[in-house]
Amino acid sequence: MILTKAQYEEIAQCLVSVPPTRQSLRKLKQRFPSQSQATLLSIFSQEYQKHIKRTHAKHHTPEAIENYYQRYLNGVGKNGAAPVLLELANEVDYAPSLMARIILERFLQGHEQTPPSKSVINNMLRDPSQIPDGVLANQVYQCIVNDCCYGPLVDCIKHAIGYEHEVLLRDLLLKKNLSFLGLDQAWSSIGMDLSRNWTATGKEASCSKPVSPQTSSPYAIAQLDPEDPGREAGSNVTFLQYKLLATSALNFS
C-alpha cells in the first residue's frame, strides 16, 4: 500500500518514545500492522540516523568521552559479565556500536599512549577477538549484535542486499540482451584510464572495446563509517558472510 505523509509522520512520532532495539521494532509492527516490515524498518533506520547525526558531536567532547569511560570502568569493575556498555549507550540515547567505538578508542589510547589508527579501530570492531582485553571484547561484541542501525553487522546486511539487487538487475539485463557496465567494472575503473563495456549475448556476457570511465555510482557497495555517520568506506567482508548475516539478523517478524 502507498504510505502517505501523515502515516509516515505518525510512525516517526511513535519512534521518538521508543529505544532503538529489535523489541521496539516488534512493537512498531504490532501498532502498524498494515505496513510492511521493510517499510517500518526503513523509517526506523532513517529517523534514528537523523537523531544520531544531530547528537553526534555532544558525545565526542573530551568531557563526555572521559565520563563514559569512567562509567564503563566502574560498571565492569562491579560485574564484567553485565552488558555495561550496551546499557550505557541506551541510557545516553546513542548507538551501541558508536559507543563501543568511543570506549575502544579511549582504551587503546590509554594503553598505547598514542591515538590508535582508524584502520585498527575498524578491524577490532569487525572482529572483537582482536581486542587485547577480554572483558572489553565481550562488551563491544554485545553492542555490535544489538545495534539495529550502525556497526559492522548492519553494514554486512546492507552490502548483501545491495549485492543481491545488483545480481537480479544483471540477470534481467542479460535476458533482455542489453549492454551494461557492472559495478565491479565501474569501480575497478576508478583511478584508471580505461573501463570495459559488457554486452549481453544470451546467457553470457562478452567484453567489447574499452570505453570512457564512468562516474562513480551512488549504488556502490559500501560500509558506513561508524566514526562519522555521514561518511562511507569500503568493506572487506566476504559475500558468504553477507548472506549468512542477512538471513539471520534484524528479523523481527
Side-chain angles (χ1 to χ4, degrees), residues 2-180:
I2 297 177
L3 183 70
T4 65
K5 182 179 180 181
Q7 290 172 325
Y8 182 99
E9 292 177 347
E10 182 182 2
I11 296 173
Q13 185 61 36
C14 178
L15 290 172
V16 174
S17 59
V18 298
T21 64
R22 293 185 177 89
Q23 289 74 25
S24 297
L25 291 172
R26 295 189 183 99
K27 293 178 181 178
L28 199 64
K29 179 65 176 176
Q30 295 173 356
R31 179 166 179 177
F32 302 96
S34 61
Q35 300 299 333
S36 68
Q37 172 177 311
T39 297
L40 294 175
L41 182 57
S42 178
I43 297 174
F44 179 94
S45 178
Q46 184 173 353
E47 291 299 316
Y48 186 63
Q49 289 182 38
K50 288 179 183 178
H51 167 72
I52 293 299
K53 290 179 180 179
R54 287 194 301 266
T55 61
H56 179 75
K58 77 174 185 178
H59 296 290
H60 284 77
T61 64
E63 295 79 10
I65 292 174
E66 194 60 32
N67 177 46
Y68 295 156
Y69 188 60
Q70 292 303 321
R71 291 180 63 180
Y72 159 74
L73 292 177
N74 292 335
V76 295
K78 297 176 182 178
N79 185 359
V84 176
L85 207 50
L86 179 61
E87 292 177 352
L88 174 60
N90 290 334
E91 180 183 337
V92 300
D93 199 14
Y94 197 50
S97 291
L98 302 186
M99 177 61 73
R101 185 183 185 95
I102 289 176
I103 300 302
L104 176 59
E105 187 171 358
R106 173 64 180 81
F107 168 82
L108 294 175
Q109 185 174 355
H111 281 67
E112 300 176 4
Q113 304 302 320
T114 57
S117 67
K118 181 179 291 187
S119 62
V120 169
I121 296 294
N122 289 340
N123 288 335
M124 289 185 176
L125 289 173
R126 295 189 187 106
D127 182 9
S129 65
Q130 297 181 23
I131 299 174
D133 182 274
V135 174
L136 179 56
N138 182 53
Q139 295 287 329
V140 170
Y141 173 78
Q142 292 177 11
C143 286
I144 291 172
V145 299
N146 286 284
D147 197 324
C148 296
C149 297
Y150 286 94
L153 179 60
V154 176
D155 295 333
C156 290
I157 296 170
K158 291 178 180 179
H159 194 157
I161 294 172
Y163 192 92
E164 183 177 11
H165 286 192
E166 180 189 349
V167 170
L168 293 173
L169 180 58
R170 182 199 64 192
D171 291 345
L172 178 61
L173 292 171
L174 286 171
K175 290 179 181 179
K176 297 294 184 180
N177 207 34
L178 297 173
S179 299
F180 65 94

Side-chain angles (χ1 to χ4, degrees), residues 151-235:
L153 179 60
V154 176
D155 295 333
C156 290
I157 296 170
K158 291 178 180 179
H159 194 157
I161 294 172
Y163 192 92
E164 183 177 11
H165 286 192
E166 180 189 349
V167 170
L168 293 173
L169 180 58
R170 182 199 64 192
D171 291 345
L172 178 61
L173 292 171
L174 286 171
K175 290 179 181 179
K176 297 294 184 180
N177 207 34
L178 297 173
S179 299
F180 65 94
L181 183 67
L183 283 180
D184 51 348
Q185 287 80 41
W187 278 102
S188 65
S189 70
I190 296 177
M192 300 173 61
D193 293 331
L194 300 175
S195 182
R196 293 181 176 179
N197 185 32
W198 291 86
T199 303
T201 56
K203 295 183 179 180
E204 302 295 332
S206 62
C207 180
S208 64
K209 65 180 181 179
V211 297
S212 301
Q214 302 296 311
T215 304
S216 301
S217 168
Y219 302 103
I221 297 170
Q223 178 188 8
L224 193 64
D225 183 349
E227 187 177 34
D228 184 348
R231 295 181 54 195
E232 293 185 344
S235 175

